[in-house]
Amino acid sequence: MLRKIRIAAAVIFFTIITFLFLDFTGTLHHWFGWMAKIQFLPALLALNVGVIIALVLLTLLFGRIYCSVICPLGVFQDTASWIAGRWKKRRFSYSPALSYLRYGILAVFIIALVAGFSSFAALLAPYSAYGRIASNLFAPVYQWINNALAYFAERADSYAFYSVDVWMKGGFTFAVAIITFVVLIILAVRNGRTYCNTICPVGTVLGFLSRFSFFKPVIHTEKCISCGLCARNCKASCISIDPKKKEQKIDYSRCVTCFNCIETCKHGAIRYERRHKTVVPAGQPADNNTSGKVDNTRRSFLSVLTLFAASSALKAQEKVDGGLAVIEDKKIPDRQTPIVPPGAKSIRNFTQHCTACQLCVSVCPNQVLRPSGKLSSLMQPEMSYELGYCRPECTKCSEVCPAGAIHTITTADKSATQIGHAVWIQKNCIVLTDDVNCGNCARHCPTQAIQMIPLNAEDPNSRLIPAVNTERCIGCGACENLCPARPFSAIYVEGHEMHRTV
């Protein structure tokens, strides 16, 4: 029964979180956006103390329920492992814990966060890894299906569906998503939860806490016949049944509380209950539910965990500042300063808190957000205006960010937030290159920050060129996006390190 409840809850969480990345309308986020905000690393970076305490208490009470129910990457691995198990059942076996590797990766992860290499840390974060898989691999398929339905609905005079553009948001991020997808599938098919118990930093943290959980799967040695059935069904490879050594133990730091062992045991020798401490008589072997060896990595882990908590708190307190001719695609201008969304406050705040999960990229209706290819902000979203511009009435990215990289803002706040300013490039302007009238940038500027002035003030018939009022410009990119010049716009937006109110 416990296993069935766990599977039902995991399916619900996994399905809804996946659709958060697939839903380009943003409808689901209004009701289920909290599921992204209770993921461990985003909550930690956002200093969401309530969520962090709740997850810690959940683990101390019931074990790694987070890993088996809430974490989408964990459920994804379980799905791949379950499919493989249809052909080969009971394929797992006990393997010793690679403690130094686990805590070593955690230490590197923490150092990367403290040193500001958030893009490297995002490679290991489970929620971010699944987000990249969903937004880069699953979302295009979902959009193609939607477009097919829109095609047939249109011919039936129905507008229940509408077509959307399917485009690659970032070449490097797409490659990372494919590699992550393949590696996870291979590890899950071969050894179940290897990634969670060897590489995942969140799994290592929760695994340490689960050693002290109040409820655990407990082996009752008086009923156990050492058949090994539980070990062969343990996808965490944490149950050791050795009749020769008279060993019957569970490594609780790797147990993900999936309840497979309890359901497969034919003799009721494993129960999920409060683990009682037993007094071991002299000359008798130690408690067979724990390893008799002292794990020296615990002290190192506590030191690293303290460093992680302290550094996260310090970082959060830092002040942050119309014909038939072929139309050439626009190219991305060489910006000196990247553009980050309104609500990010500053580039520094954004890069420190962003987990590169791509959730904001998935919900952006204007195709403005895309993963960065720069080493300093690799895979973290930045804004570019080749396909659209940041409309003042849209605040979707601020509504879905779970890590505090983009704070929630209103449309009024957004219209008054300057994330950059427009710069006119004279040599690209068609008024000069083609000797024609234009004014497209001025007509579409929502803040009227662009005025058309005569190229030659002394000539009454002079062509008009744009003049930018940088004090009124908010950097929305409407001018850059709608400029007819190709391949580079004659006017583009330069980002600001610190956002300010105009």
Side-chain angles (χ1 to χ4, degrees), residues 15-24 28-30 32-36 127 359 362-363:
T15 303
I16 295 177
I17 291 176
T18 299
F19 273 98
L20 289 180
F21 289 96
L22 303 184
D23 179 27
F24 48 81
L28 281 178
H29 290 275
H30 178 71
F32 301 106
W34 59 271
M35 287 189 175
Y127 170 72
L359 188 57
S362 299
V363 301

Side-chain angles (χ1 to χ4, degrees), residues 168-495:
M168 182 182 293
K169 300 175 179 64
F172 183 84
T173 307
F174 182 76
V176 170
I178 290 180
I179 293 172
T180 306
F181 179 81
V182 172
V183 170
L184 286 174
I185 291 292
I186 293 174
L187 291 177
V189 169
R190 291 173 59 87
N191 299 303
R193 286 293 192 105
T194 300
Y195 178 87
C196 299
N197 287 326
T198 306
I199 301 173
C200 178
V202 175
T204 302
V205 172
L206 297 182
F208 178 81
L209 296 176
S210 67
R211 295 172 184 264
F212 313 104
S213 60
F214 190 77
F215 292 99
K216 302 180 179 182
V218 178
I219 300 177
H220 291 259
T221 55
E222 70 279 3
K223 294 184 178 181
C224 180
I225 62 172
S226 299
C227 65
L229 191 61
C230 55
R232 293 196 298 275
N233 284 276
C234 178
K235 58 192 175 187
S237 301
C238 65
I239 302 179
S240 177
I241 304 294
D242 192 338
K244 295 181 180 179
K245 297 181 181 180
K246 296 182 179 180
E247 182 179 68
Q248 301 154 321
K249 69 177 183 179
I250 299 175
D251 181 355
Y252 291 111
S253 72
R254 291 185 291 158
C255 176
V256 293
T257 321
C258 66
F259 306 121
N260 285 358
C261 55
I262 296 176
E263 184 155 312
T264 56
C265 182
K266 305 298 183 182
H267 303 279
I270 304 181
R271 298 176 185 173
Y272 184 65
E273 60 188 15
R274 179 183 176 184
R275 183 174 173 234
H276 301 279
K277 292 184 178 180
T278 57
V279 179
V280 181
Q284 294 295 321
D287 182 4
N288 55 19
N289 286 296
T290 58
S291 174
K293 298 180 181 180
V294 177
D295 189 354
N296 292 325
T297 58
R298 293 187 187 184
R299 297 184 182 90
S300 301
F301 172 74
L302 286 174
S303 300
V304 172
L305 187 60
T306 303
L307 174 63
F308 191 20
S311 62
S312 298
L314 288 174
K315 286 170 67 178
Q317 296 300 321
E318 291 179 355
K319 292 184 179 180
V320 293
D321 19 281
L324 298 178
V326 177
I327 300 177
E328 187 176 4
D329 290 336
K330 284 195 175 185
K331 293 183 179 180
I332 301 175
D334 185 16
R335 308 181 204 276
Q336 298 299 315
T337 305
I339 312 170
V340 293
K345 295 186 177 181
S346 70
I347 294 177
R348 187 177 185 181
N349 176 75
F350 185 78
T351 55
Q352 285 181 338
H353 290 83
C354 178
T355 63
C357 70
Q358 313 299 315
L359 188 57
C360 58
V361 178
S362 299
V363 301
C364 179
N366 306 309
Q367 300 178 341
V368 170
L369 287 171
R370 62 197 65 185
S372 170
K374 299 176 183 177
L375 186 61
S376 59
S377 58
L378 200 61
M379 297 186 298
Q380 292 183 340
E382 64 180 17
M383 303 175 72
S384 199
Y385 304 121
E386 291 71 52
L387 300 178
Y389 67 93
C390 192
R391 297 179 181 272
E393 69 275 10
C394 176
T395 59
K396 289 187 180 296
C397 60
S398 74
E399 296 167 1
V400 303
C401 179
I406 310 174
H407 295 272
T408 304
I409 59 173
T410 64
T411 55
D413 291 335
K414 181 177 179 179
S415 297
T417 301
Q418 188 180 64
I419 61 176
H421 66 275
V423 178
W424 180 57
I425 306 299
Q426 180 177 343
K427 64 179 181 179
N428 294 342
C429 188
I430 64 170
V431 173
L432 302 176
T433 59
D434 298 350
D435 192 26
V436 296
N437 292 321
C438 182
N440 220 27
C441 52
R443 283 194 299 273
H444 294 94
C445 179
T447 62
Q448 297 182 344
I450 303 176
Q451 301 295 325
M452 301 302 293
I453 62 174
L455 176 62
N456 185 353
E458 298 178 357
D459 182 3
N461 297 319
S462 173
R463 301 286 189 188
L464 301 180
I465 58 173
V468 180
N469 182 346
T470 56
E471 295 301 316
R472 299 188 65 174
C473 177
I474 61 174
C476 68
C479 55
E480 179 180 332
N481 173 250
L482 298 169
C483 177
R486 296 292 191 277
F488 292 101
S489 294
I491 191 166
Y492 79 99
V493 178
E494 188 65 50

Side-chain angles (χ1 to χ4, degrees), residues 119-132:
S119 55
F120 174 78
L123 288 171
L124 301 175
Y127 170 72
S128 301
Y130 183 75
R132 287 190 293 273

